[in-house]
């Protein structure tokens, strides 16, 4: 089913676009952290391929695609080189990078869910791996950069929720035997749109009610 949704050439091209944009975000964080060229390349590779590697290892798709297709491995290096030499220019088009990142999020949560299901996982587990495919690289990027992962920070716009919605839509389509190129495309667009809206309106997930740190935060904000 994974192979039937799109032609192999289209699927490969979409994967490379998503990998390239995720690699850009990893390389930009490395520059902000003042990493050297090796650190920039590592963060680009990890951000771009981490989620897919985790998924493939879990479902037993070994060796992972990142090690069997040279394009998957070299694309993040190209992104790293671009950021290394042109990072001021790349920073200026951060809005466009964020938009492509949202597109990659939507694409990977759908393809990750579908591939996991093809390897025999149940619907819930497949959706969970779809989410991991979409956000896993970003989590590894932040951990290596010694930051609290954006996925866990309340002060960041919704990131995991759009991926969860996209993966859940795919799982429902699989449940009712309705997954095809059209419905998978709708799931991609839905996750993409939700992420764009979250960035535009700064939607954030709620925190625990009556948390003890609330008053302290209010005082610190007032003092600032």
């Amino acid at each position: 089913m994974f192979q039937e949704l799109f032609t192999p050439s289209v699927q490969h091209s979409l994967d490379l676009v998503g990998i390239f944009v995720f690699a850009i975000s990893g390389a930009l964080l490395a520059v902000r952290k003042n990493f050297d060229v090796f650190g920039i390349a590592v963060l680009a590779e990890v951000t771009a391929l981490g989620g897919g590697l985790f998924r493939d290892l879990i479902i037993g798709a070994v060796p992972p695609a990142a090690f069997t297709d040279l394009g998957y491995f070299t694309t993040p290096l190209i992104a790293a080189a671009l950021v290394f030499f042109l990072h001021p220019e790349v920073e200026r088009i951060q809005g466009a990078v964020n938009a492509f990142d949202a597109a990659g999020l939507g694409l990977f949560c759908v393809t990750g869910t579908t591939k996991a299901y093809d390897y025999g996982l149940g619907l819930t587990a497949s959706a969970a791996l779809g989410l991991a495919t979409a956000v896993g690289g970003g989590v590894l990027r932040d951990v290596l950069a010694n930051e609290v992962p954006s996925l866990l920070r309340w002060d960041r716009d919704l990131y995991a929720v759009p991926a969860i919605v996209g993966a859940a839509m795919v799982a429902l389509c699989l449940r009712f035997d309705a997954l095809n190129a059209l419905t998978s495309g709708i799931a991609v667009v839905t996750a993409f749109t939700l992420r764009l809206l979250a960035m535009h309106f700064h939607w954030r997930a709620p925190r625990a009610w009556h948390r003890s740190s609330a008053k302290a935060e209010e005082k610190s904000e007032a003092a600032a």
Side-chain angles (χ1 to χ4, degrees), residues 10 15 27 34 38-39 47 52-54 60 75 87 112 119 135 146 149 160 174 193 195 207 211 219:
V10 171
D15 282 346
N34 203 30
F38 181 74
T47 308
L53 281 171
F54 177 78
T75 297
H87 65 87
Y119 274 77
V135 306
N146 198 29
L174 288 167
T193 303
R195 173 58 180 160
R207 290 182 288 172
R211 60 193 184 281
K219 290 180 180 179

Side-chain angles (χ1 to χ4, degrees), residues 179-217:
L179 189 68
N180 52 46
L182 175 61
T183 55
S184 62
I186 291 173
V188 170
V189 171
T190 300
F192 169 67
T193 303
L194 284 175
R195 173 58 180 160
L196 288 184
L197 290 173
M199 289 190 293
H200 181 74
F201 293 107
H202 301 296
W203 290 344
R204 292 167 183 169
R207 290 182 288 172
W209 288 11
H210 309 301
R211 60 193 184 281
S212 60
S213 61
K215 292 182 179 179
E217 289 176 359

Side-chain angles (χ1 to χ4, degrees), residues 116-134:
Y117 185 78
D118 280 349
Y119 274 77
L121 270 66
L123 294 176
T124 302
S126 295
L129 272 187
L131 170 65
T133 304

Side-chain angles (χ1 to χ4, degrees), residues 99-111:
F100 281 110
D101 181 83
L105 180 82
L107 173 68
F108 283 1
C109 74
V110 170
T111 58

Side-chain angles (χ1 to χ4, degrees), residues 16-99:
L16 291 182
V17 170
I19 286 170
F20 181 80
V21 176
F22 281 176
I24 288 285
S25 70
L28 284 174
L29 178 60
V31 170
R32 296 185 192 117
K33 287 286 187 175
N34 203 30
F35 288 5
D36 62 15
V37 62
F38 181 74
I40 293 172
V42 168
L43 227 56
E45 290 279 358
V46 166
T47 308
L49 303 177
L53 281 171
F54 177 78
R55 176 204 61 214
D56 288 349
L57 290 174
I58 292 295
I59 64 179
V62 291
F67 292 98
T68 58
D69 188 319
L70 188 60
Y72 284 14
F73 188 78
T74 57
T75 297
L77 296 179
I78 295 171
L82 179 67
V83 171
F84 181 80
F85 290 107
L86 301 173
H87 65 87
E89 287 74 16
V90 176
E91 289 276 13
R92 280 197 287 270
I93 59 169
Q94 185 65 52
V97 172
N98 288 340

